[in-house]
Amino acid sequence: MKAYDYDIVVIGGGPAGLAAAVAARDAGAGDILILERDREPGGILNQCIHNGFGLHTFREELTGPEYAARFIAMVRERHITCLTETMVTDIDRDKTVTAVNRTQGVFRIRACAVVLAMGCRERARGALHIPGYRPAGIFSAGTAQRLVNMEGYLPGREVVILGSGDIGLIMARRMTLEGAKVKVVAELLPYSGGLKRNIVQCLDDFGIPLKLSHTVVAIRGRERVEGVTLAQVDAAGKPVPGTEEDYACDTLLLSVGLIPENELTRGMGVEMDAVTAGPAVNESLETNLPGVFACGNVLHVHDLVDYVSEEAACAGRNAAIFAEKRRIGEIADSGPQGVASGCEPETVLVPGPGVRYTVPQRIRTERMGERLTVRFRAGAVYRDAYIGVYCNEERVIHRRKPVIAPGEMETIILEKRLLTAYSNLQQITITIEEA
Amino acid sequence: MYDVCIIGAGVTGCAIARELSRYRASVCVVERCEDVCCGTSKANSAIVHAGYDAANGSLMARLNVKGNAMMGALAQELDFPFLRNGSLVTCLREADIPGLEALLDRGRKNGVTGLRILSREEAHAVEPNLSDAVAAALYAPSGGIVCPFLLTIALAENAAVNGVTFRFDTNVKEIRRENGQYILETGQGQIKSRLVVNAAGVYADVFHNMVSEDKIHITPRRGEYCLLDRSAGGHVRHTIFTLPTERGKGVLVTPTVHGNLLTGPTATDITDREGTDTTRAGLDEVMEKAAQAVRDIPFRETITSFSGLRAHEDGHDFIIGEPADAPGFFDAAGIESPGLTAAPAIGVMVADLLRDRLRLQKNDSFRARRKGILRPADLCVEDRNELIRKHPAYGTIVCRCESVTEGEIIDAIRRPVGARSLDGVKRRTRAGMGRCQSDFCSPRVMEILARELGIPMEAVTKCGGASRVVGKRMEKGGQEGTAS
């Protein structure tokens, strides 16, 4: 009997899961299974009917469903099985995946390698302690998007949006095109968390005001939203008395942050990064559990799907390599005792001043490719600043950027020959340095 | 013409209805909202109090201790979650230990058993996350936690199965006595009844004062809460109180029967009987006060906040019985904390009064047992798969945060006194109660509600009335289109 049922089980059939599966197959993996909880693969792309996807991957501007369709077609061409409406309820440390659906009931699958690609969810109102009533008409921007674009309903007619993340901005435009009146987009921070192009194309082009350093301090209406009150906030995020402004509206959309959905990951006991709220990974995008990889928004929240696909392909390739090594016996077939990350010399990536986090969090220089993409986010908006990379104490990269903002993920390429030049490379620090 | 008309389908009204269904009588419960458990019963601390708080000799004390003693058997009989996790009343200064001793003494006089005072070391040993300031604690092993929704729903379902009629969306506007019977004018027409039970929560004084010159006065006392994710549910095992003041039992920290962590309430007297909004000051106060007795509460894990109104009567005791000048009108008024605990005992007390008044006979077909909604997650894999083979809807997980299947949601809608709104489904199944707060599952639950109730999606509500969730998409020019 085979020790496992599939070489690779991919948890989630959104952009990350699909790209990981395709890359794993192309890297030679045999049996690959994708488990998707929704009715069809494609994940959140299916409700993103606006264009702007695929500029990096396909060199054309696609809509979300078109972008997803490209990857779904690649999955089909490769005869990779994708089970939809299938919910994974548990993953053991030995990579036994428990799932449930209506045709097979509860079933267990033993995987040689697992790719975590569950995506993220939107932060709910409760986490922000927004006071007021709890009527109908308060939606996350993502739910509103699904209702309009996939289900064909209008969440409301007079809209206030809290949060200027990309989904909030996109929905400001979408609701306007649907005939609703979007009165204002409020943002708690002094800067938008969304892409610049979305502010221009979704707000400015439609004359929708963006109020920075503002938040919702009251929600009125007992059955359906009747209005909200906005107030300016001080540097600490506290509302400034006397700045309250009432807006009549029947709908409040919240776009106040995305949270990687790592309940399964935590259940496995995977080491987490407190800042990304995703697993901590090495250069192969492998967690501290050997053979468990992560990519996409479950690893850290992205702003461009193209980067998700690229990152997921890396995870998929490495999962394929892991499965192959185990097949030929190079990795012991003994569950989590395989080649534990930590047994080999590791270089720690440290987010220095100005940098909130890095992915990956550690590098085994022996195992990295010639070039390794490191993704990170800044903690504030910087103009004419430098990205600095330090090997131990020595600065090895000093790159100027006109604008660095928390809303746009930054990348830096580390070359293997640069790192292997150090005989004892303890840590690599990435910083943002003002001119 | 009913024998008994009960105003209010909260836990008190439903407990009375259920007890009354042991007798042969025509009973109707009228409720202004679309479901049971929509007022005070849905927004409270969900605590089964031991009974040391209420004044010696008060009705509140007697019914609290009796209701607490009844809760375990009732939970078995009606299949709702109840856990005797024990309560700790903490004090933060050595100087306050006499206050704990007074509470212990009061509790013993009220008939509470097992009470004892824990030293600083003992208290920290049983509850490691108590703050360093905790100097001692009163331990009440009979204290417990319950799901107030499922308790109320269980009582209502069982009452309905035993013949009680529920009339929802029915707002009582006027009550008058004519020819030895009561006439209730409602938004849905006239209801006639021989006897009336007033279980109207924060509105109980309004109805009482319609029929009696011996006026009562209820103040809505708002309590705000923060509910934390199940990831924080293990932060404390017991229900942690601080020494009570004249304003109430203070801010508590407790696990819930569903594994969340609940903190609150504040106590603010207001005039608006619908004032269930939360305030920034209130939520800040909850977080600040909760942290006095319990350290490191992960408020980052807050998934929702809410507020409820206690029906505080000026005399601060339950008012149960018939006003001298309103024969046939029975109050169950001023039911504030520990009203949830006392509800089973209030049910028996009021049903006994009504039985004696109407000389009711036993209902021989009364069925005491009720089964809750089947949770596939509670079954072994073999049984779960057998269930899914027979009913594939139990294989589709709709609410991912709380692992609620389509089968459970269908059951919640189809059973007696079934769910008719998103909140109704949520209270019965927990779909939408989790960390994403219904973000992912609400479109699916709406779809199931629309299908099961035979209504369009646009008619599905969050909580009845005007709380519709979505509209039709508009044609160009802002006109509402036909189903496009």
Side-chain angles (χ1 to χ4, degrees):
Chain A
M1 197 176 95
K2 272 175 69 178
Y4 39 84
D5 306 307
Y6 282 88
D7 290 331
I8 298 172
V9 174
V10 180
I11 317 296
L18 295 171
V22 167
R25 171 58 51 80
D26 292 348
D31 295 331
I32 302 173
L33 176 68
I34 303 172
L35 299 173
E36 166 55 41
R37 56 190 161 196
D38 214 329
R39 292 167 179 174
E40 57 242 314
I44 218 72
L45 285 173
N46 290 329
Q47 68 188 51
C48 299
I49 64 170
H50 51 283
N51 62 357
F53 300 92
L55 281 169
H56 298 257
T57 312
F58 300 110
R59 309 258 169 240
E60 32 180 330
E61 264 201 272
L62 305 174
T63 65
E66 286 170 337
Y67 188 96
R70 299 267 175 115
F71 276 93
I72 292 167
M74 287 188 255
V75 162
R76 294 220 171 103
E77 282 159 18
R78 287 161 179 76
H79 303 289
I80 296 168
T81 312
C82 179
L83 291 178
T84 54
E85 286 191 274
T86 302
M87 180 83 180
V88 174
T89 56
D90 184 61
I91 311 172
D92 285 353
R93 284 174 76 90
D94 69 0
K95 288 168 271 177
T96 300
V97 177
T98 306
V100 59
N101 65 29
R102 52 196 297 143
T103 50
Q104 290 150 287
V106 179
F107 57 101
R108 293 200 167 92
I109 304 155
R110 293 163 306 162
C112 178
V114 167
V115 178
L116 304 172
M118 293 87 80
C120 60
R121 65 168 179 271
E122 284 190 81
R123 179 168 285 132
R125 168 187 175 186
L128 274 72
H129 300 284
I130 300 172
Y133 288 93
R134 301 197 301 154
I138 304 169
F139 303 86
S140 77
T143 299
Q145 189 180 46
R146 185 176 177 108
L147 286 167
V148 175
N149 293 350
M150 291 182 75
E151 324 256 339
Y153 298 99
L154 193 66
R157 290 159 173 274
E158 297 198 305
V159 184
V160 169
I161 299 178
L162 177 63
S164 62
D166 289 314
I167 317 173
L169 300 175
I170 296 279
M171 281 312 292
R173 175 174 65 184
R174 189 78 201 112
M175 294 297 289
T176 306
L177 293 174
E178 284 293 325
K181 172 75 187 156
V182 177
K183 298 198 160 174
V184 63
V185 175
E187 168 62 54
L188 181 73
L189 297 171
Y191 51 85
S192 164
L195 296 170
K196 179 73 188 161
R197 72 169 197 218
N198 282 336
I199 294 173
V200 173
Q201 293 172 7
C202 300
L203 300 188
D204 298 352
D205 288 358
F206 294 89
I208 299 167
L210 171 64
K211 290 196 157 233
L212 299 173
S213 299
H214 276 71
T215 193
V216 173
V217 294
I219 299 172
R220 291 185 301 281
R222 287 166 183 135
E223 295 181 328
R224 177 81 198 193
V225 174
E226 290 164 10
V228 302
T229 305
L230 298 186
Q232 202 176 326
V233 296
D234 61 21
K238 290 268 176 208
V240 178
T243 61
E244 294 85 358
E245 263 183 293
D246 290 342
Y247 287 83
C249 60
D250 61 10
T251 304
L252 173 64
L253 299 189
L254 300 175
S255 175
V256 291
L258 298 170
I259 304 169
E261 287 238 274
N262 274 299
E263 280 65 38
L264 290 170
T265 320
R266 286 196 191 88
M268 296 172 81
V270 164
E271 183 199 329
M272 304 293 291
D273 180 322
V275 179
T276 60
V281 293
N282 62 23
E283 78 300 322
S284 303
L285 303 181
E286 185 183 27
T287 67
N288 66 313
L289 295 186
V292 178
F293 300 82
C295 55
N297 283 348
V298 85
L299 179 57
H300 59 139
V301 174
H302 293 64
D303 34 67
L304 286 182
V305 72
D306 299 80
Y307 294 154
V308 168
S309 301
E310 188 184 297
E311 179 180 276
C314 173
R317 276 193 301 275
N318 286 311
I321 293 168
F322 180 92
E324 175 62 12
K325 282 187 175 170
R326 174 158 290 179
R327 194 183 65 77
I328 61 175
E330 207 174 292
I331 299 176
D333 202 3
S334 56
Q337 274 78 44
V339 179
S341 129
C343 297
E344 290 172 76
E346 282 186 342
T347 301
V348 183
L349 270 161
V350 179
V355 175
R356 289 186 59 233
Y357 71 81
T358 69
V359 169
Q361 286 84 351
R362 50 180 184 260
I363 299 174
R364 298 170 298 180
T365 45
E366 300 295 308
R367 288 174 172 257
M368 68 184 278
E370 290 310 312
R371 290 157 62 83
L372 177 72
T373 303
V374 176
R375 302 178 202 280
F376 63 95
R377 277 185 196 269
V381 177
Y382 296 88
R383 290 187 196 283
D384 287 325
Y386 291 85
I387 295 171
V389 178
Y390 292 77
C391 284
N392 291 337
E393 305 297 316
E394 186 185 351
R395 187 161 76 191
V396 293
I397 296 176
H398 193 58
R399 196 178 88 201
R400 187 173 164 275
K401 279 211 78 174
V403 181
I404 302 173
E408 314 220 4
M409 186 185 280
E410 296 293 335
T411 60
I412 198 109
I413 307 286
L414 297 180
E415 295 192 17
K416 186 169 187 165
R417 59 186 173 83
L418 179 73
L419 306 188
T420 49
Y422 291 82
S423 58
N424 182 24
L425 183 56
Q426 296 289 323
Q427 68 172 53
I428 299 168
T429 309
I430 301 183
T431 64
I432 294 168
E433 294 159 4
E434 291 183 81
Chain B
M1 165 88 137
Y2 294 102
D3 290 325
V4 181
C5 181
I6 300 168
I7 304 172
V11 70
T12 306
C14 291
I16 295 166
R18 193 261 178 169
E19 282 307 314
L20 203 51
S21 70
R22 295 176 186 273
Y23 306 103
R24 295 210 315 255
S26 64
V27 180
C28 167
V29 180
V30 289
E31 167 58 46
R32 68 194 180 109
C33 295
E34 97 293 359
D35 196 1
V36 301
C37 202
C38 281
T40 298
S41 304
K42 81 166 177 186
N44 53 70
S45 306
I47 302 299
V48 175
H49 292 282
Y52 45 74
D53 283 295
N56 293 145
S58 63
L59 189 55
M60 212 177 239
R62 180 155 65 85
L63 294 172
N64 179 347
V65 174
K66 189 177 173 204
N68 178 301
M70 291 171 72
M71 202 61 81
L74 192 65
Q76 290 284 316
E77 201 167 69
L78 296 181
D79 195 17
F80 60 84
F82 164 62
L83 179 70
R84 232 177 256 288
N85 64 324
S87 301
L88 291 175
V89 185
T90 60
C91 70
L92 304 174
R93 299 178 310 171
E94 301 279 345
D96 289 334
I97 293 178
L100 289 185
E101 285 162 350
L103 210 53
L104 172 100
D105 183 57
R106 196 193 305 166
R108 284 188 178 149
K109 286 185 180 145
N110 284 346
V112 182
T113 56
L115 292 175
R116 65 191 177 90
I117 292 184
L118 305 183
S119 67
R120 177 190 296 270
E121 292 70 29
E122 289 173 309
H124 284 88
V126 298
E127 200 61 82
N129 279 330
L130 288 183
S131 70
D132 291 341
V134 170
L138 173 68
Y139 174 52
S142 62
I145 48 180
V146 68
C147 174
F149 317 133
L150 293 179
L151 165 59
T152 307
I153 288 162
L155 290 164
E157 283 182 15
N158 190 243
V161 163
N162 287 308
V164 172
T165 302
F166 282 80
R167 293 175 67 161
F168 294 108
D169 298 315
T170 305
N171 194 7
V172 176
K173 295 173 172 168
E174 190 196 330
I175 306 172
R176 60 179 189 275
R177 192 171 150 81
E178 263 176 27
N179 307 324
Q181 67 184 40
Y182 282 93
I183 293 170
L184 283 68
E185 298 291 348
T186 81
Q188 307 288 321
Q190 223 175 47
I191 296 173
K192 293 179 182 166
S193 185
R194 295 171 69 191
L195 307 184
V196 170
V197 175
N198 173 20
V202 290
Y203 288 92
D205 57 343
V206 175
F207 295 119
H208 171 100
N209 294 342
M210 283 180 188
V211 297
S212 172
E213 286 310 309
D214 186 9
K215 303 299 183 191
I216 64 172
H217 176 247
I218 286 173
T219 305
R221 181 170 285 176
R222 181 161 62 199
E224 302 184 39
Y225 294 86
C226 293
L227 182 72
L228 278 63
D229 192 4
R230 280 188 283 131
S231 56
H235 198 71
V236 293
R237 281 195 305 126
H238 302 83
T239 301
I240 314 297
F241 297 92
T242 46
L243 202 56
T245 66
E246 72 285 353
R247 302 283 306 150
K249 291 186 269 283
V251 169
L252 59 82
V253 180
T254 184
T256 72
V257 287
H258 301 291
N260 297 85
L261 192 74
L262 179 66
T263 64
T266 54
T268 312
D269 289 347
I270 59 173
T271 51
D272 181 358
R273 292 169 206 264
E274 302 293 322
T276 56
D277 51 330
T278 53
T279 63
R280 182 167 277 266
L283 298 178
D284 285 347
E285 184 187 334
V286 168
M287 290 188 271
E288 183 200 317
K289 289 196 170 161
Q292 289 177 354
V294 179
R295 61 188 167 94
D296 303 332
I297 299 172
F299 280 106
R300 277 185 57 183
E301 308 279 309
T302 303
I303 56 174
T304 189
S305 48
F306 60 88
S307 87
L309 302 178
R310 312 175 189 72
H312 175 70
E313 210 282 325
D314 291 354
H316 189 49
D317 200 357
F318 296 157
I319 298 173
I320 294 176
E322 214 173 353
D325 58 349
F329 184 93
F330 291 80
D331 282 310
I335 312 296
E336 61 178 316
S337 178
L340 183 68
T341 313
I346 295 171
V348 171
M349 181 179 172
V350 175
D352 285 354
L353 292 172
L354 301 168
R355 175 199 61 198
D356 294 348
R357 170 59 55 87
L358 293 175
R359 296 175 202 284
L360 298 176
Q361 302 299 305
K362 235 175 94 193
N363 172 5
D364 291 321
S365 58
F366 176 76
R367 281 189 283 159
R369 298 195 80 81
R370 167 261 185 196
K371 281 303 288 175
I373 290 171
L374 178 61
R375 295 265 301 155
D378 295 341
L379 302 176
C380 69
V381 172
E382 291 72 28
D383 289 352
R384 191 170 172 185
N385 282 340
E386 186 55 33
L387 178 68
I388 295 170
R389 259 191 297 282
K390 281 189 198 147
H391 305 285
Y394 285 102
T396 299
I397 292 182
V398 173
C399 166
R400 55 176 80 163
C401 302
E402 298 289 319
S403 282
V404 182
T405 65
E406 184 179 359
E408 292 157 83
I409 294 167
I410 293 171
D411 186 359
I413 298 167
R414 290 186 185 172
R415 57 177 44 222
V417 202
R420 297 196 297 145
S421 62
L422 280 174
D423 283 356
V425 168
K426 180 167 85 169
R427 285 191 290 268
R428 285 167 179 79
T429 66
R430 298 189 58 70
M433 199 76 92
R435 53 182 70 94
C436 91
Q437 286 288 297
S438 84
D439 210 26
F440 287 113
C441 67
S442 56
R444 292 284 72 72
V445 177
M446 285 167 62
E447 200 174 76
I448 298 167
L449 273 165
R451 186 185 74 210
E452 289 291 322
L453 300 176
I455 56 174
M457 280 282 274
E458 297 88 339
V460 174
T461 66
K462 178 177 184 285
C463 51
S467 68
R468 291 180 179 201
V469 184
V470 295
K472 283 191 169 73
R473 285 176 69 186
M474 287 185 274
E475 305 286 7
K476 280 205 175 67
Q479 293 300 305
E480 197 169 89
T482 49
S484 55

